[in-house]
Amino acid sequence: MSSAVVVDQMTLAYGDRVIQRELSFAVETGQICVIVGGSGCGKSTLLRHMLGLAEPTHGSVSFEGQNFTHADQQQRMAMRLQWGVTFQQGGLISAMSLAENLSLPLELYTDLNARQRAELIELKLALVGLAGYQNYYPSEISGGMRKRAALARALMLDPKFLFFDEPSAGLDPISSRRLDELIASLAASLGATVIMVTHELDSIFAIANHAVYLDNVSKTLLDAGPPAYLRDHSDHAVVREFFSRGGQRSSASKETLNA
Amino acid sequence: MGSDAHLVFRDGKLLVTLSGDWSIHAPNPSVHDILLTQTYQTADIHCLDVNSEGIGQWDSSLVNFIKQLSDRHPNAELRHTLPNGIVALLDLACAVPPIVSTSPAEASWLSNLVTWVSPFSRSEQVGLGVMQFMAFIGELVIAAAKALVGQARMRMTDLLQFCYQTGPNALPIISLSSVLVGVILGYLGAVQLQQFGAGIYVANLVTVGVLREMGALMTAIIIAGRTGAAYAAQLGTMQVNEEVDAIEILGISAMEFLILPRVIAVLIMVPLLTLYADILGIIGGGIVAGGLGISPLQYWTQLQESLMMSHVVVGLLKGLLFGLLIGIAGCRAGMQATRNSEGVGRATTNAVVTALIYLVVADAAINIVCQWLEI
C-alpha cells in the first residue's frame, strides 16, 4: 500500500492561539482513517486545514505525493475534483433542491447533458437510500437524510478521497449505524480513501482501520494506528482509556456489521 | 436544621466535622471564611479527616465545600465517611484536571484601555478594515467582469429570485412611505410658503425634494433594513451551516455564486424602486396641495415647471449607488459572520448600521459634487 495522504509537521493556529502543533501522520490508499480526541482538541480544525479552508502556520498536507498546501489555486482545484466532502451540518445549499445540489458538481466539471445528469442524480440518491427525493429541499428532510444527501453529493464525481466531519453527530443509533455501513460499503466499492472526524466509538470500531488521536492537553498527536491496537496496546493511558470506554459495545456493533 | 462545619487541626491532621442539612438555598459554611480564622499552614496538613455522620439532607453545596477544602490542601490525603453519591460527584469533578492555558496572560483592563486608545492600535485596526474592504471590492469587480463576459458561475434563477424579493415584494412598504414622505414635504412647505402667499410653490418643493433627495434616500433606507439585513442573515446562516465551505470545496467562488447575484439584484431594483417612490411622493404632495385649494391641474402645471431631467438623473444615480452600497454592506457583513447564532445577529445589525452610514456619507458627497458641478 502507498500513502494516499501525508500530513507533515502541520501546526494549526487561530491567530496566536495554537490548536495543534507539528502533526505528522500518513493514511494509506483505501484506508478508513478516523481523527479522534477529546472535545475541543482540534479535530474539525485539522480537517479544515487539510481541505484548504484554513491555512496551517507550519507544515503541509500532500495527496498522492502532490503537496496541496503549497499548490497554486489551479492545482488545488484539480486535486479537489478528486474529493468528496460532507460537513457536520451536511453543507447542502439550502436554497437548492437535492437534485440541484447534486447536479452542481456535474454541471461544473462534466459535459453531461441534462438527461444524463438526472440519471446520475437518481443513481446516487438511490445509493444513499433517498431515491425519489430529487425535488425535496434540505429543510424538508430529516437530519439523517440531509447527511445522506450530502454524502450523495460528495459521491457525484466518484472521488478518490472522502472526508467526513462528524457524520453521525446528532443521529439516532439506527440512522448512525446505517450511515456507517453506507460509508464503509461505498468506500470499499469506490476504492476511496476515507478521512473522518468523529468521536463515536461505535463508528470507529465498526468501520475504521486506522485512527489518529489528538490530545488537547499536549496539543499534539499522541498516537496513531488501528483502533483495536490503540485500545489494547497504546503507550498512552489516555488513548487506551478513550478507545476502551466503548470497547465492548463497539465490538458488538462490528459483529453486527460484518454479519 | 442548618448546616455546620467544625475544623480542628491536630498533629498534621485537619479534623472536619460536618453536620446538619446542606442546601444551596440556605446559607452554608464557607471554606474560605473558615480558613481565614485558622492559624496553621496548609503545607503542614497531611491528612483531611472528614466526619460526615451528622449530616442530614445534602446537595451540591456540600460537594462544593469538600472540594474547596480538598483543593486548598492538595497534598493532604482525604479520609472520609461521606455518602457514595458525594464521593461519585467528587470523582467526577476531579476527573479532568483544569486546563493549563497556553494563550498569553490576560491583559489588565488598564493595558486594554491603553491599547484601545493608542493611535497606532486604532489606526492598525482601521487600516486592516480598509484593506479587507478593498479586497472585497476588488473580488467583486473581478466577479462582475467575469459576469459581463459570461464566465461567472452565477445562476440566473437566483438573480431573478433576489430581484423579485428586493423589488416587487417591497412595493407595499415603499408605496406607503413614499406617499407619506410627499405628504410631509407638502405640509412642511405649505406652512412656510402660505405665509408669503406662495402656496402654489408646494409643487416645486415636493418635486425637487422627492426627485433629488427623498425618493432615493427613503427607498435606500427601507431596502437597507429589509434586503441588506436579509442578505447578511442568509449568508451568515450559510456560514453556520457550512454551505459556504461546501461551495468553496466544489470549486465555486462564493463571490460569484452568492454575492454577485445579490448585489446585481439591488443594483437593478433600487433605482427602479426610486423611480416608483418619486411618482408616489409627488402624488402625496398633490394630496396636500389639494387640501390647500390648489387644483390638480395647477399642481401639475407648476410641477412641470420645476421638473428637470437633471433632478431625475441625480435621483436615479443616487439610487444606483445606494443599491450598490446596500448590497456590499449586507453581503460583506454576512460573509464575515462568525459561525454561531450570535454571529448571525451581529452580522444583521452590522449590515444595517454600515449601510446607513454608507448612505448618509454617499448622499452628502453626491450633493456636494452636484453643487460644485452646478447640476
Side-chain angles (χ1 to χ4, degrees), chain A residues 72-133:
Chain A
D72 62 32
Q73 282 303 319
Q74 263 189 329
Q75 291 169 323
R76 280 190 171 199
M77 201 53 248
M79 291 160 86
R80 276 179 173 157
L81 286 181
Q82 300 180 337
W83 298 357
V85 183
T86 74
F87 294 90
Q88 204 167 344
Q89 309 287 338
L92 293 170
I93 301 167
S94 51
M96 297 164 91
S97 67
L98 296 193
E100 287 171 325
N101 264 288
L102 268 63
S103 179
L104 209 52
L106 297 179
E107 287 173 29
L108 292 170
Y109 303 114
T110 70
D111 297 323
L112 299 175
N113 62 35
R115 187 183 52 78
Q116 290 168 320
R117 287 201 301 269
E119 285 171 1
L120 265 179
I121 290 165
E122 196 181 327
L123 169 72
K124 301 289 176 171
L125 281 175
L127 278 177
V128 298
L130 288 175
Y133 279 86

Side-chain angles (χ1 to χ4, degrees), chain B residues 208-209 211-214 216-217 310-311 314-315 317-318 321-322 359-375:
Chain B
V208 176
L211 289 182
R212 282 192 80 104
E213 196 63 48
M214 296 309 291
L217 195 59
S310 62
H311 298 328
V314 168
L317 281 177
K318 279 185 179 177
L321 182 63
F322 291 168
L359 293 180
V360 173
V361 173
D363 195 27
I366 291 172
N367 285 338
I368 292 167
V369 170
C370 286
Q371 192 68 31
W372 279 347
L373 299 175
E374 297 179 357
I375 299 173

Side-chain angles (χ1 to χ4, degrees), chain B residues 201-320:
Chain B
Y201 289 105
V202 161
N204 299 52
L205 181 86
V206 170
T207 305
V208 176
V210 167
L211 289 182
R212 282 192 80 104
E213 196 63 48
M214 296 309 291
L217 195 59
M218 282 305 294
T219 302
I221 288 171
I222 289 167
I223 296 299
R226 199 179 170 277
T227 307
Y231 285 177
Q234 286 164 6
L235 294 172
T237 309
M238 290 181 85
Q239 292 274 20
V240 175
N241 291 338
E242 298 172 309
E243 292 176 45
V244 178
D245 287 343
I247 285 168
E248 200 173 318
I249 288 292
L250 283 170
I252 306 169
S253 157
M255 184 60 77
E256 293 172 25
F257 195 74
L258 300 175
I259 296 172
L260 196 58
R262 286 173 167 84
V263 173
I264 293 176
V266 277
L267 209 55
I268 294 170
M269 296 318 294
V270 174
L272 292 177
L273 289 172
T274 299
L275 202 59
Y276 176 74
D278 289 347
I279 295 166
L280 289 186
I282 289 171
I283 292 172
I287 295 168
V288 175
L292 296 173
I294 301 166
S295 71
L297 185 63
Q298 281 176 306
Y299 183 77
W300 175 244
T301 311
Q302 195 62 32
L303 180 154
Q304 280 180 311
E305 269 186 29
S306 57
L307 183 64
M308 290 165 64
M309 188 48 78
S310 62
H311 298 328
V312 180
V313 171
V314 168
L316 290 181
L317 281 177
K318 279 185 179 177
L320 198 68

Side-chain angles (χ1 to χ4, degrees), chain B residues 23 36 50 175 241 263 329 344 357 372:
Chain B
S23 166
L36 279 179
V50 180
S175 306
N241 291 338
V263 173
V344 177
I357 293 169
W372 279 347

Side-chain angles (χ1 to χ4, degrees), chain A residues 48-71:
Chain A
R48 287 180 63 78
H49 281 73
M50 289 174 74
L51 295 173
L53 293 170
E55 298 302 320
T57 52
H58 182 256
S60 62
V61 58
S62 302
F63 295 92
E64 293 184 322
Q66 274 190 290
N67 191 310
F68 177 77
T69 309
H70 300 134

Side-chain angles (χ1 to χ4, degrees), chain A residues 190-218:
Chain A
L190 287 169
T193 305
V194 176
I195 294 179
M196 184 161 82
V197 168
T198 186
H199 47 219
E200 301 279 340
L201 282 171
D202 284 339
S203 298
I204 293 168
F205 283 100
I207 64 172
N209 39 33
H210 191 73
V212 171
Y213 184 91
L214 304 185
D215 185 40
N216 53 5
V217 177
S218 62

